[in-house]
Amino acid sequence: MKITDRIAIALGVVDIGYVAWTIFGTVKIGATAHSMSQNVANVGLPFPGLVVAIVFLAYLLMAACGLALILRRRRLAWLNYVLLPLRLVLVLPTLYPVIALLAAAGMVLPPLATYIVIVITEIARCVFIYFWRREGSTPLTRTLPRRPIMVKK
């Protein structure tokens, strides 16, 4: 197995782990879609039901991307590109475990610096996925020998 495949699997494991951790935390505190919608409304965002639906969609896509990466399904790499804007708008970083560990250790970056790191790592993730996908695709080759073209006189 190539190192790029191992990195793709690791990215998939991180995504699945992040989704599982979020689901576990949500169930642990007893949150429901209605309570999440109320929280969104309390923050002042418009259309709280739509925002919660988009968040659910983002987590569903993250789980699908993670599973596709673990199974090394290069055909589904496009899901990562669709997920990029959602990750950036909803601040769902790939490296969330690293950010959480740094925060637990007392090393907290300023919010703007944190967001810049998130943008850089998410773009790097998509670039990696792009080249990983291309690495696995092989160009079609002719299996039949070429015949000379007959020219009529």
Side-chain angles (χ1 to χ4, degrees):
M1 182 182 310
K2 293 181 177 181
I3 188 71
T4 53
D5 287 336
R6 291 180 185 181
I7 293 170
I9 290 170
L11 288 172
V13 168
V14 169
D15 278 352
I16 295 288
Y18 180 56
V19 170
W21 178 78
T22 301
I23 291 171
F24 176 74
T26 304
V27 170
K28 184 179 174 183
I29 64 171
T32 63
H34 179 68
S35 66
M36 290 179 203
S37 179
Q38 290 298 321
N39 289 340
V40 170
N42 291 341
V43 172
L45 293 175
F47 309 110
L50 180 62
V51 171
V52 171
I54 291 171
V55 169
F56 281 142
L57 176 66
Y59 280 112
L60 181 66
L61 284 175
M62 282 178 69
C65 285
L67 190 59
L69 288 170
I70 289 170
L71 297 175
R72 293 179 285 165
R73 301 286 188 236
R74 287 168 164 53
R75 292 180 307 221
L76 299 176
W78 61 271
L79 285 173
N80 288 283
Y81 312 135
V82 170
L83 193 55
L84 176 66
L86 292 174
R87 284 184 184 269
L88 295 178
V89 170
L90 300 174
V91 190
L92 302 170
T94 298
L95 296 179
Y96 181 78
V98 174
I99 294 170
L101 288 174
L102 289 175
M107 296 186 284
V108 180
L109 290 172
L112 182 61
T114 302
Y115 194 71
I116 289 170
V117 168
I118 290 170
V119 169
I120 291 170
T121 57
E122 293 307 318
I123 290 172
R125 174 194 174 102
C126 283
V127 169
F128 168 79
I129 296 294
Y130 173 78
F131 286 109
W132 173 74
R133 186 183 137 270
R134 286 189 59 196
E135 172 186 284
S137 61
T138 56
L140 294 174
T141 56
R142 292 178 78 93
T143 56
L144 299 173
R146 294 188 118 188
R147 294 187 302 180
I149 297 174
M150 303 297 286
V151 179
K152 291 184 179 180
K153 292 185 179 181

